[in-house]
Amino acid sequence: MRRFLLILPIAFLAFTTSCRAPMEMAYISDAERDSAQQILTTYANTIHTGDQLYIYVSSEMIESVVPFNQETHIEAVEMSRMNTVSVARDGGSIQNTYTLKKTKQIQGYLVDDNGFITFPILGKLMVAGIGYDSLQVLIQNRLINGGYVNDPVVTVSPMNFRVSVVGEVRVPQELHVVGERLTIFEALAMCGDITDSGMRNNVVVMREKNGEVIPIEIDLTKKTIFDSEVYYLRQNDIVYVEPTLAKKRRSEMNPEWPKYASLGVSVAVWVSTMLRRSIRINNALN
C-alpha cells in the first residue's frame, strides 16, 4: 500500500504528459545495408503547358544556326552614364559620357495553353506531352529535312523546373532545380531532411495528371519506394510530409495544459500525503 502511494504522483504525471509512440526514423529500413536495390522506375519527364524551355542549336557551320538561336539568346544593350569633370579657368564643368555594354539574356520558349511553342523559321511546334529527347529529335529532323542545317545538334532542357516541399521538413520551400531530374530523397535533403515530428512512412506527393491533382502516398521506410512513380519528381510536384499523431495531438491540445498538469500532480501529491498520514494514525490507534 505504501509503495502504491509513493508511485501515485509519478503515475499521474506520466498519464497527463503526452507520450510519443515508437516511430521508425530510418529510411528504407526493410533492406539490408549491404544489398543492392534495383530502380525499376524509368524516368521519362514530359513537357507540359506553362513550361519554359531552353532550346539551343549548334553546328560546325556556326552561321547556319544563328537564326535558330536568336530567340534563346537575346542580345541586350545597356547604356551607362559616366560623369567626367573638366577644369577650366571659369570653374569646373561636368560632361556626361555614355558607354554601351552588350549582354546576353536567355529568354527561352514558353509552352502555351494549347501545348505549342513558336520556333524560328520552323513555326509552331506541338511539344506538350513529349519528352525532351523527343523534342530534340523532332527539331533536328525538321532542320535537316528542310535543308536549313546539315549537322544540327539540338539541346533541350527545362528552365523553370520547380518542386515544392512542405510539412514536417526543416526548411519548407519551393525548389528551383537546374536540370530535369530530381529524386524525392534529393528534394528532402535540399530542405534539411524530415524533422523528428514527420512521418517517414506516410509522405504524399501531389502530382498533376490530365488537369487533376492526384495524391500519391509513399512509404520512405520501405524499399518499394524505388518502384514508385514518384521516386523521380516532376515539374510542379508538391511533396507533403505529414506530422506524427503525437505532433497533431500537441497542436490540438489546450495551451493551458501544462498548468493543469502541474495542478493535477500537486493534488495527487497532497492526496498521497493525506492517505499516508491517515494510515499512520490508524496504525498508532491500533
Side-chain angles (χ1 to χ4, degrees), residues 191-226:
C191 294
D193 202 4
I194 298 177
T195 67
D196 293 342
S197 300
M199 296 182 63
R200 287 164 171 76
N201 59 352
N202 190 19
V203 176
V204 179
V205 176
M206 288 171 278
R207 173 166 293 177
E208 182 179 349
K209 291 183 178 180
N210 301 322
E212 297 180 343
V213 177
I214 308 297
I216 304 172
E217 295 184 358
I218 53 174
D219 187 346
L220 298 180
T221 68
K222 305 296 183 182
K223 59 185 178 183
T224 52
I225 179 59
F226 296 114

mmCIF file of all heavy atoms in Angstrom, residues 191-226:
data_model
loop_
_atom_site.group_PDB
_atom_site.id
_atom_site.type_symbol
_atom_site.label_atom_id
_atom_site.label_comp_id
_atom_site.label_asym_id
_atom_site.label_seq_id
_atom_site.Cartn_x
_atom_site.Cartn_y
_atom_site.Cartn_z
ATOM 1 N N CYS A 191 15.960 20.353 -48.406
ATOM 2 C CA CYS A 191 15.119 21.039 -47.420
ATOM 3 C C CYS A 191 15.536 20.712 -45.988
ATOM 4 O O CYS A 191 14.778 20.969 -45.046
ATOM 5 C CB CYS A 191 13.655 20.670 -47.635
ATOM 6 S SG CYS A 191 12.983 21.272 -49.195
ATOM 7 N N GLY A 192 16.690 20.130 -45.811
ATOM 8 C CA GLY A 192 17.191 19.859 -44.469
ATOM 9 C C GLY A 192 16.689 18.576 -43.851
ATOM 10 O O GLY A 192 16.847 18.363 -42.651
ATOM 11 N N ASP A 193 16.028 17.720 -44.630
ATOM 12 C CA ASP A 193 15.536 16.416 -44.199
ATOM 13 C C ASP A 193 14.249 16.565 -43.377
ATOM 14 O O ASP A 193 13.852 17.653 -42.965
ATOM 15 C CB ASP A 193 16.589 15.666 -43.387
ATOM 16 C CG ASP A 193 16.348 14.152 -43.386
ATOM 17 O OD1 ASP A 193 15.420 13.701 -44.071
ATOM 18 O OD2 ASP A 193 17.089 13.438 -42.700
ATOM 19 N N ILE A 194 13.598 15.421 -43.141
ATOM 20 C CA ILE A 194 12.365 15.378 -42.360
ATOM 21 C C ILE A 194 12.691 15.573 -40.877
ATOM 22 O O ILE A 194 13.670 15.041 -40.370
ATOM 23 C CB ILE A 194 11.643 14.035 -42.585
ATOM 24 C CG1 ILE A 194 11.248 13.894 -44.059
ATOM 25 C CG2 ILE A 194 10.419 13.904 -41.701
ATOM 26 C CD1 ILE A 194 10.600 12.565 -44.398
ATOM 27 N N THR A 195 11.864 16.324 -40.182
ATOM 28 C CA THR A 195 12.067 16.537 -38.747
ATOM 29 C C THR A 195 11.684 15.280 -37.967
ATOM 30 O O THR A 195 11.103 14.339 -38.508
ATOM 31 C CB THR A 195 11.220 17.722 -38.254
ATOM 32 O OG1 THR A 195 9.826 17.371 -38.343
ATOM 33 C CG2 THR A 195 11.477 18.960 -39.097
ATOM 34 N N ASP A 196 11.983 15.294 -36.663
ATOM 35 C CA ASP A 196 11.621 14.163 -35.812
ATOM 36 C C ASP A 196 10.109 14.011 -35.677
ATOM 37 O O ASP A 196 9.624 12.959 -35.261
ATOM 38 C CB ASP A 196 12.235 14.332 -34.421
ATOM 39 C CG ASP A 196 13.751 14.238 -34.461
ATOM 40 O OD1 ASP A 196 14.281 13.721 -35.470
ATOM 41 O OD2 ASP A 196 14.400 14.679 -33.494
ATOM 42 N N SER A 197 9.370 15.070 -36.004
ATOM 43 C CA SER A 197 7.909 15.030 -35.908
ATOM 44 C C SER A 197 7.248 14.685 -37.236
ATOM 45 O O SER A 197 6.026 14.809 -37.367
ATOM 46 C CB SER A 197 7.377 16.384 -35.411
ATOM 47 O OG SER A 197 7.888 16.704 -34.138
ATOM 48 N N GLY A 198 8.024 14.287 -38.222
ATOM 49 C CA GLY A 198 7.476 13.946 -39.529
ATOM 50 C C GLY A 198 7.334 12.448 -39.712
ATOM 51 O O GLY A 198 8.135 11.661 -39.204
ATOM 52 N N MET A 199 6.298 12.038 -40.441
ATOM 53 C CA MET A 199 6.045 10.615 -40.687
ATOM 54 C C MET A 199 6.742 10.181 -41.967
ATOM 55 O O MET A 199 6.319 10.552 -43.074
ATOM 56 C CB MET A 199 4.530 10.362 -40.792
ATOM 57 C CG MET A 199 3.769 10.647 -39.510
ATOM 58 S SD MET A 199 1.997 10.300 -39.645
ATOM 59 C CE MET A 199 2.023 8.538 -39.951
ATOM 60 N N ARG A 200 7.795 9.409 -41.814
ATOM 61 C CA ARG A 200 8.518 8.916 -42.984
ATOM 62 C C ARG A 200 7.754 7.817 -43.721
ATOM 63 O O ARG A 200 8.027 7.554 -44.879
ATOM 64 C CB ARG A 200 9.890 8.398 -42.554
ATOM 65 C CG ARG A 200 10.868 9.509 -42.187
ATOM 66 C CD ARG A 200 12.053 8.983 -41.401
ATOM 67 N NE ARG A 200 13.074 9.994 -41.239
ATOM 68 C CZ ARG A 200 13.002 11.009 -40.389
ATOM 69 N NH1 ARG A 200 11.939 11.146 -39.624
ATOM 70 N NH2 ARG A 200 13.984 11.895 -40.308
ATOM 71 N N ASN A 201 6.820 7.209 -43.026
ATOM 72 C CA ASN A 201 6.071 6.120 -43.659
ATOM 73 C C ASN A 201 4.755 6.579 -44.269
ATOM 74 O O ASN A 201 3.946 5.769 -44.701
ATOM 75 C CB ASN A 201 5.793 5.005 -42.643
ATOM 76 C CG ASN A 201 4.989 5.495 -41.452
ATOM 77 O OD1 ASN A 201 4.758 6.696 -41.293
ATOM 78 N ND2 ASN A 201 4.564 4.573 -40.603
ATOM 79 N N ASN A 202 4.532 7.884 -44.308
ATOM 80 C CA ASN A 202 3.305 8.401 -44.920
ATOM 81 C C ASN A 202 3.567 9.780 -45.517
ATOM 82 O O ASN A 202 3.121 10.797 -44.994
ATOM 83 C CB ASN A 202 2.171 8.467 -43.899
ATOM 84 C CG ASN A 202 0.831 8.773 -44.546
ATOM 85 O OD1 ASN A 202 0.672 8.594 -45.745
ATOM 86 N ND2 ASN A 202 -0.120 9.240 -43.770
ATOM 87 N N VAL A 203 4.296 9.789 -46.620
ATOM 88 C CA VAL A 203 4.593 11.026 -47.346
ATOM 89 C C VAL A 203 3.703 11.053 -48.587
ATOM 90 O O VAL A 203 3.502 10.024 -49.239
ATOM 91 C CB VAL A 203 6.087 11.092 -47.739
ATOM 92 C CG1 VAL A 203 6.370 12.329 -48.574
ATOM 93 C CG2 VAL A 203 6.951 11.080 -46.484
ATOM 94 N N VAL A 204 3.166 12.216 -48.888
ATOM 95 C CA VAL A 204 2.248 12.355 -50.015
ATOM 96 C C VAL A 204 2.877 13.254 -51.071
ATOM 97 O O VAL A 204 3.370 14.340 -50.755
ATOM 98 C CB VAL A 204 0.895 12.943 -49.570
ATOM 99 C CG1 VAL A 204 -0.045 13.092 -50.766
ATOM 100 C CG2 VAL A 204 0.254 12.065 -48.506
ATOM 101 N N VAL A 205 2.878 12.780 -52.305
ATOM 102 C CA VAL A 205 3.306 13.594 -53.450
ATOM 103 C C VAL A 205 2.069 13.927 -54.262
ATOM 104 O O VAL A 205 1.369 13.034 -54.738
ATOM 105 C CB VAL A 205 4.341 12.853 -54.315
ATOM 106 C CG1 VAL A 205 4.692 13.696 -55.541
ATOM 107 C CG2 VAL A 205 5.596 12.552 -53.509
ATOM 108 N N MET A 206 1.774 15.211 -54.396
ATOM 109 C CA MET A 206 0.620 15.659 -55.181
ATOM 110 C C MET A 206 1.104 15.990 -56.588
ATOM 111 O O MET A 206 1.936 16.885 -56.763
ATOM 112 C CB MET A 206 -0.051 16.845 -54.507
ATOM 113 C CG MET A 206 -0.793 16.448 -53.241
ATOM 114 S SD MET A 206 -1.387 17.826 -52.257
ATOM 115 C CE MET A 206 0.101 18.246 -51.343
ATOM 116 N N ARG A 207 0.584 15.268 -57.562
ATOM 117 C CA ARG A 207 1.045 15.373 -58.940
ATOM 118 C C ARG A 207 -0.124 15.680 -59.867
ATOM 119 O O ARG A 207 -1.205 15.110 -59.731
ATOM 120 C CB ARG A 207 1.734 14.084 -59.373
ATOM 121 C CG ARG A 207 2.112 14.014 -60.839
ATOM 122 C CD ARG A 207 3.064 12.872 -61.092
ATOM 123 N NE ARG A 207 4.363 13.099 -60.459
ATOM 124 C CZ ARG A 207 5.357 12.234 -60.482
ATOM 125 N NH1 ARG A 207 5.212 11.072 -61.101
ATOM 126 N NH2 ARG A 207 6.516 12.515 -59.900
ATOM 127 N N GLU A 208 0.125 16.583 -60.806
ATOM 128 C CA GLU A 208 -0.912 16.958 -61.770
ATOM 129 C C GLU A 208 -0.956 15.939 -62.908
ATOM 130 O O GLU A 208 0.058 15.641 -63.538
ATOM 131 C CB GLU A 208 -0.644 18.355 -62.326
ATOM 132 C CG GLU A 208 -1.708 18.835 -63.289
ATOM 133 C CD GLU A 208 -1.433 20.232 -63.810
ATOM 134 O OE1 GLU A 208 -0.536 20.903 -63.269
ATOM 135 O OE2 GLU A 208 -2.109 20.650 -64.766
ATOM 136 N N LYS A 209 -2.155 15.403 -63.146
ATOM 137 C CA LYS A 209 -2.365 14.454 -64.231
ATOM 138 C C LYS A 209 -3.661 14.798 -64.952
ATOM 139 O O LYS A 209 -4.732 14.807 -64.338
ATOM 140 C CB LYS A 209 -2.439 13.013 -63.706
ATOM 141 C CG LYS A 209 -1.140 12.454 -63.166
ATOM 142 C CD LYS A 209 -1.329 11.005 -62.743
ATOM 143 C CE LYS A 209 -0.033 10.403 -62.236
ATOM 144 N NZ LYS A 209 -0.228 8.975 -61.831
ATOM 145 N N ASN A 210 -3.537 15.101 -66.226
ATOM 146 C CA ASN A 210 -4.713 15.370 -67.058
ATOM 147 C C ASN A 210 -5.619 16.432 -66.442
ATOM 148 O O ASN A 210 -6.848 16.302 -66.405
ATOM 149 C CB ASN A 210 -5.510 14.090 -67.285
ATOM 150 C CG ASN A 210 -4.703 13.006 -67.968
ATOM 151 O OD1 ASN A 210 -3.905 13.297 -68.861
ATOM 152 N ND2 ASN A 210 -4.891 11.764 -67.553
ATOM 153 N N GLY A 211 -5.010 17.491 -65.943
ATOM 154 C CA GLY A 211 -5.781 18.590 -65.387
ATOM 155 C C GLY A 211 -6.267 18.375 -63.969
ATOM 156 O O GLY A 211 -6.980 19.220 -63.426
ATOM 157 N N GLU A 212 -5.911 17.255 -63.345
ATOM 158 C CA GLU A 212 -6.303 16.972 -61.969
ATOM 159 C C GLU A 212 -5.060 16.773 -61.107
ATOM 160 O O GLU A 212 -4.028 16.320 -61.593
ATOM 161 C CB GLU A 212 -7.179 15.714 -61.899
ATOM 162 C CG GLU A 212 -8.495 15.833 -62.632
ATOM 163 C CD GLU A 212 -9.317 14.563 -62.525
ATOM 164 O OE1 GLU A 212 -8.749 13.499 -62.179
ATOM 165 O OE2 GLU A 212 -10.525 14.639 -62.795
ATOM 166 N N VAL A 213 -5.194 17.118 -59.822
ATOM 167 C CA VAL A 213 -4.101 16.898 -58.876
ATOM 168 C C VAL A 213 -4.372 15.588 -58.143
ATOM 169 O O VAL A 213 -5.375 15.445 -57.437
ATOM 170 C CB VAL A 213 -3.982 18.061 -57.878
ATOM 171 C CG1 VAL A 213 -2.883 17.778 -56.857
ATOM 172 C CG2 VAL A 213 -3.690 19.366 -58.614
ATOM 173 N N ILE A 214 -3.479 14.616 -58.313
ATOM 174 C CA ILE A 214 -3.643 13.282 -57.749
ATOM 175 C C ILE A 214 -2.675 13.101 -56.574
ATOM 176 O O ILE A 214 -1.460 13.250 -56.753
ATOM 177 C CB ILE A 214 -3.383 12.193 -58.808
ATOM 178 C CG1 ILE A 214 -4.221 12.458 -60.062
ATOM 179 C CG2 ILE A 214 -3.675 10.813 -58.234
ATOM 180 C CD1 ILE A 214 -5.707 12.414 -59.826
ATOM 181 N N PRO A 215 -3.181 12.783 -55.361
ATOM 182 C CA PRO A 215 -2.275 12.490 -54.242
ATOM 183 C C PRO A 215 -1.753 11.059 -54.325
ATOM 184 O O PRO A 215 -2.521 10.119 -54.525
ATOM 185 C CB PRO A 215 -3.169 12.682 -53.005
ATOM 186 C CG PRO A 215 -4.552 12.398 -53.492
ATOM 187 C CD PRO A 215 -4.602 12.788 -54.946
ATOM 188 N N ILE A 216 -0.441 10.907 -54.187
ATOM 189 C CA ILE A 216 0.193 9.591 -54.252
ATOM 190 C C ILE A 216 0.944 9.377 -52.944
ATOM 191 O O ILE A 216 1.895 10.097 -52.633
ATOM 192 C CB ILE A 216 1.156 9.493 -55.451
ATOM 193 C CG1 ILE A 216 0.420 9.822 -56.753
ATOM 194 C CG2 ILE A 216 1.791 8.109 -55.526
ATOM 195 C CD1 ILE A 216 1.331 9.940 -57.953
ATOM 196 N N GLU A 217 0.519 8.383 -52.159
ATOM 197 C CA GLU A 217 1.142 8.103 -50.871
ATOM 198 C C GLU A 217 2.324 7.154 -51.039
ATOM 199 O O GLU A 217 2.239 6.181 -51.801
ATOM 200 C CB GLU A 217 0.122 7.494 -49.904
ATOM 201 C CG GLU A 217 -1.019 8.440 -49.536
ATOM 202 C CD GLU A 217 -1.952 7.838 -48.510
ATOM 203 O OE1 GLU A 217 -1.718 6.672 -48.118
ATOM 204 O OE2 GLU A 217 -2.908 8.515 -48.107
ATOM 205 N N ILE A 218 3.392 7.436 -50.314
ATOM 206 C CA ILE A 218 4.584 6.589 -50.380
ATOM 207 C C ILE A 218 5.121 6.366 -48.976
ATOM 208 O O ILE A 218 4.869 7.148 -48.057
ATOM 209 C CB ILE A 218 5.686 7.215 -51.268
ATOM 210 C CG1 ILE A 218 5.993 8.643 -50.814
ATOM 211 C CG2 ILE A 218 5.315 7.177 -52.723
ATOM 212 C CD1 ILE A 218 7.137 9.267 -51.540
ATOM 213 N N ASP A 219 5.863 5.277 -48.823
ATOM 214 C CA ASP A 219 6.485 4.921 -47.552
ATOM 215 C C ASP A 219 7.999 4.929 -47.753
ATOM 216 O O ASP A 219 8.555 4.054 -48.427
ATOM 217 C CB ASP A 219 6.004 3.534 -47.103
ATOM 218 C CG ASP A 219 6.491 3.172 -45.707
ATOM 219 O OD1 ASP A 219 7.397 3.861 -45.192
ATOM 220 O OD2 ASP A 219 5.983 2.191 -45.138
ATOM 221 N N LEU A 220 8.656 5.921 -47.160
ATOM 222 C CA LEU A 220 10.103 6.066 -47.341
ATOM 223 C C LEU A 220 10.897 5.090 -46.485
ATOM 224 O O LEU A 220 12.121 5.036 -46.596
ATOM 225 C CB LEU A 220 10.533 7.498 -47.023
ATOM 226 C CG LEU A 220 9.942 8.590 -47.908
ATOM 227 C CD1 LEU A 220 10.457 9.958 -47.482
ATOM 228 C CD2 LEU A 220 10.263 8.343 -49.374
ATOM 229 N N THR A 221 10.217 4.324 -45.633
ATOM 230 C CA THR A 221 10.923 3.330 -44.830
ATOM 231 C C THR A 221 10.977 1.974 -45.522
ATOM 232 O O THR A 221 11.588 1.045 -45.002
ATOM 233 C CB THR A 221 10.248 3.159 -43.452
ATOM 234 O OG1 THR A 221 8.953 2.544 -43.628
ATOM 235 C CG2 THR A 221 10.078 4.496 -42.764
ATOM 236 N N LYS A 222 10.339 1.839 -46.675
ATOM 237 C CA LYS A 222 10.295 0.583 -47.410
ATOM 238 C C LYS A 222 11.055 0.703 -48.726
ATOM 239 O O LYS A 222 11.054 1.753 -49.360
ATOM 240 C CB LYS A 222 8.847 0.160 -47.688
ATOM 241 C CG LYS A 222 7.965 0.069 -46.453
ATOM 242 C CD LYS A 222 8.450 -1.009 -45.495
ATOM 243 C CE LYS A 222 7.512 -1.142 -44.298
ATOM 244 N NZ LYS A 222 8.007 -2.156 -43.335
ATOM 245 N N LYS A 223 11.655 -0.387 -49.140
ATOM 246 C CA LYS A 223 12.419 -0.372 -50.386
ATOM 247 C C LYS A 223 11.539 -0.305 -51.623
ATOM 248 O O LYS A 223 12.046 -0.099 -52.731
ATOM 249 C CB LYS A 223 13.323 -1.607 -50.457
ATOM 250 C CG LYS A 223 12.583 -2.938 -50.394
ATOM 251 C CD LYS A 223 13.564 -4.100 -50.353
ATOM 252 C CE LYS A 223 12.852 -5.432 -50.237
ATOM 253 N NZ LYS A 223 13.808 -6.559 -50.132
ATOM 254 N N THR A 224 10.223 -0.415 -51.432
ATOM 255 C CA THR A 224 9.299 -0.276 -52.567
ATOM 256 C C THR A 224 9.298 1.147 -53.121
ATOM 257 O O THR A 224 8.742 1.379 -54.192
ATOM 258 C CB THR A 224 7.870 -0.658 -52.132
ATOM 259 O OG1 THR A 224 7.513 0.083 -50.952
ATOM 260 C CG2 THR A 224 7.768 -2.145 -51.841
ATOM 261 N N ILE A 225 9.912 2.087 -52.403
ATOM 262 C CA ILE A 225 9.987 3.460 -52.905
ATOM 263 C C ILE A 225 10.698 3.511 -54.247
ATOM 264 O O ILE A 225 10.408 4.341 -55.106
ATOM 265 C CB ILE A 225 10.703 4.381 -51.881
ATOM 266 C CG1 ILE A 225 10.799 5.809 -52.410
ATOM 267 C CG2 ILE A 225 12.070 3.847 -51.538
ATOM 268 C CD1 ILE A 225 9.491 6.452 -52.718
ATOM 269 N N PHE A 226 11.634 2.570 -54.480
ATOM 270 C CA PHE A 226 12.370 2.570 -55.739
ATOM 271 C C PHE A 226 11.493 2.155 -56.916
ATOM 272 O O PHE A 226 11.852 2.391 -58.068
ATOM 273 C CB PHE A 226 13.581 1.637 -55.641
ATOM 274 C CG PHE A 226 14.606 2.089 -54.632
ATOM 275 C CD1 PHE A 226 14.865 1.336 -53.494
ATOM 276 C CD2 PHE A 226 15.299 3.267 -54.810
ATOM 277 C CE1 PHE A 226 15.803 1.746 -52.564
ATOM 278 C CE2 PHE A 226 16.240 3.689 -53.886
ATOM 279 C CZ PHE A 226 16.489 2.932 -52.764
#
